[in-house]
Amino acid sequence: MEENRSTQATGDSGLPEKTQSGKGLTEVLDQSEHVRDLVEQSARELSSVNTGLAQEVEQHSEPPGVRTALEKSQAVEGKVQDAADKLSRVNQALQAEVNARHILEEQLATVTHDEQAARHAAMHDALTGLPNRTLLENRLEHGLAQAKRHDRTLAVMFLDLDGFKQINDVHGHDVGDAILQTIADRLRGQARDDDTVSRFGGDEFVYLLTEIDDDQDAALVAQKIAEAIQLPCQLSVGALVIKPSIGIAIFPRDGTSCSALLKSADTAMYAAKRNKSGYAFAS
């Protein structure tokens, strides 16, 4: 389990399915195998007919032209059997190609899965599974671009867990990690579809509200978050109650860039911590 750090240290399935070409090649092979079976069946039936005719010719005096017809039929039998043999070799080559494609598809699926896993790991916190600082800043930059283009207001909330360092010191990092995971789940449960909840580092989280009408909207969200976080955490050492301090920065009032808004929200968070007010606005 990843070891957490205290606040003092820190201030988008699925395996790919078969390719259409691979699926089509398999269907062609199945059809070719069926044709081969029909050709081989025809060759056997023709051989049986020719054998019967040959016996009749040997035992009786045949009508004019029968022997010639028999010879032609036997020649056709040979051609049919030759066609069946050639078709069988073609099918073997097709089967080899299908097998090779299946191997390539499996390798592609593995590479794709590994790439997706690596991309997810690079953009998400290993302990909580939340977006990390890199992904948050990416989404915040995108949110700012949309807000500027459409004249919208957004809010950035900086959250810190009060007394978390002391919990780490007294109960150990395993308990601290369990708390962070619990808080992350609660924050995730409060987030709207278009919002982003991120673990910024240590016991710091950032909540991005992509669109709000006014300060009251942000205050209501902050209150709900505080209430959710303060529910007792049931841990191996018993129930612990964690309280957050939340700083709120509003675009464009408190900054028009990613760094400016995060700095404003961070400053407001420390003000909320000093005042023990739960949350505070930057302005």
Side-chain angles (χ1 to χ4, degrees):
M1 185 174 290
E2 178 187 275
E3 181 175 311
N4 59 70
R5 294 169 293 185
S6 73
T7 57
Q8 308 304 318
T10 306
D12 250 38
S13 250
L15 296 178
E17 297 180 354
K18 283 185 178 180
T19 60
Q20 189 62 37
S21 61
K23 182 179 179 181
L25 190 60
T26 300
E27 292 175 349
V28 169
L29 177 59
D30 291 341
Q31 294 170 359
S32 184
E33 290 282 3
H34 179 64
V35 172
R36 184 203 63 183
D37 292 341
L38 292 177
V39 172
E40 288 185 343
Q41 181 181 353
S42 298
R44 289 193 299 270
E45 292 174 354
L46 188 56
S47 176
S48 178
V49 170
N50 289 341
T51 299
L53 285 174
Q55 291 174 352
E56 288 293 327
V57 169
E58 293 296 331
Q59 295 173 4
H60 305 89
S61 57
E62 73 278 6
V66 171
R67 182 173 293 278
T68 301
L70 175 59
E71 292 173 351
K72 290 182 179 180
S73 182
Q74 290 173 333
V76 171
E77 175 192 342
K79 292 179 180 180
V80 172
Q81 186 60 56
D82 183 57
D85 294 341
K86 290 179 179 179
L87 190 55
S88 179
R89 290 193 290 272
V90 169
N91 289 345
Q92 290 174 0
L94 277 173
Q95 184 63 61
E97 180 68 17
V98 168
N99 292 340
R101 283 178 180 265
H102 286 171
I103 292 173
L104 287 175
E105 287 168 357
E106 291 173 357
Q107 292 174 340
L108 175 61
T110 299
V111 170
T112 301
H113 178 271
D114 291 346
E115 180 184 0
Q116 292 172 343
R119 186 183 300 115
H120 184 275
M123 294 293 181
H124 291 78
D125 174 57
L127 178 64
T128 64
L130 291 176
N132 61 16
R133 182 170 183 165
T134 300
L135 183 53
L136 167 74
E137 293 178 346
N138 180 276
R139 291 183 179 177
L140 179 52
E141 291 287 359
H142 177 74
L144 286 173
Q146 293 296 313
K148 292 173 183 177
R149 182 177 298 112
H150 301 289
D151 194 26
R152 297 173 181 168
T153 301
L154 62 76
V156 173
M157 295 185 180
F158 208 104
L159 292 80
D160 176 274
L161 304 181
D162 296 345
F164 184 76
K165 184 178 184 302
Q166 183 178 1
I167 292 175
N168 259 346
D169 293 342
V170 173
H171 299 291
H173 289 298
D174 286 346
V175 171
D177 286 348
I179 290 175
L180 292 175
Q181 291 171 327
T182 299
I183 300 304
D185 289 340
R186 293 176 181 179
L187 288 172
R188 193 182 288 110
Q190 295 296 317
R192 304 175 301 180
D193 291 341
D194 293 335
D195 296 339
T196 296
V197 179
S198 165
R199 184 186 178 197
F200 204 68
D203 63 324
E204 297 173 333
F205 298 85
V206 173
Y207 191 120
L208 169 62
L209 291 86
T210 53
E211 187 174 359
I212 60 172
D213 292 329
D214 50 37
D215 287 7
Q216 186 61 25
D217 284 350
L220 288 174
V221 173
Q223 290 172 356
K224 290 181 179 179
I225 288 174
E227 291 172 359
I229 290 177
Q230 291 179 72
L231 293 174
C233 296
Q234 302 299 329
L235 305 165
S236 60
V237 296
L240 294 178
V241 175
I242 309 298
K243 294 184 178 181
S245 292
I246 305 173
I248 307 171
I250 305 296
F251 167 85
R253 186 178 68 209
D254 301 317
T256 57
S257 68
C258 178
S259 59
L261 284 169
L262 288 171
K263 182 178 181 180
S264 294
D266 184 43
T267 300
M269 180 270 292
Y270 280 106
K273 187 179 290 289
R274 287 194 303 273
N275 299 331
K276 300 185 183 302
S277 57
Y279 68 88
F281 284 89
S283 298

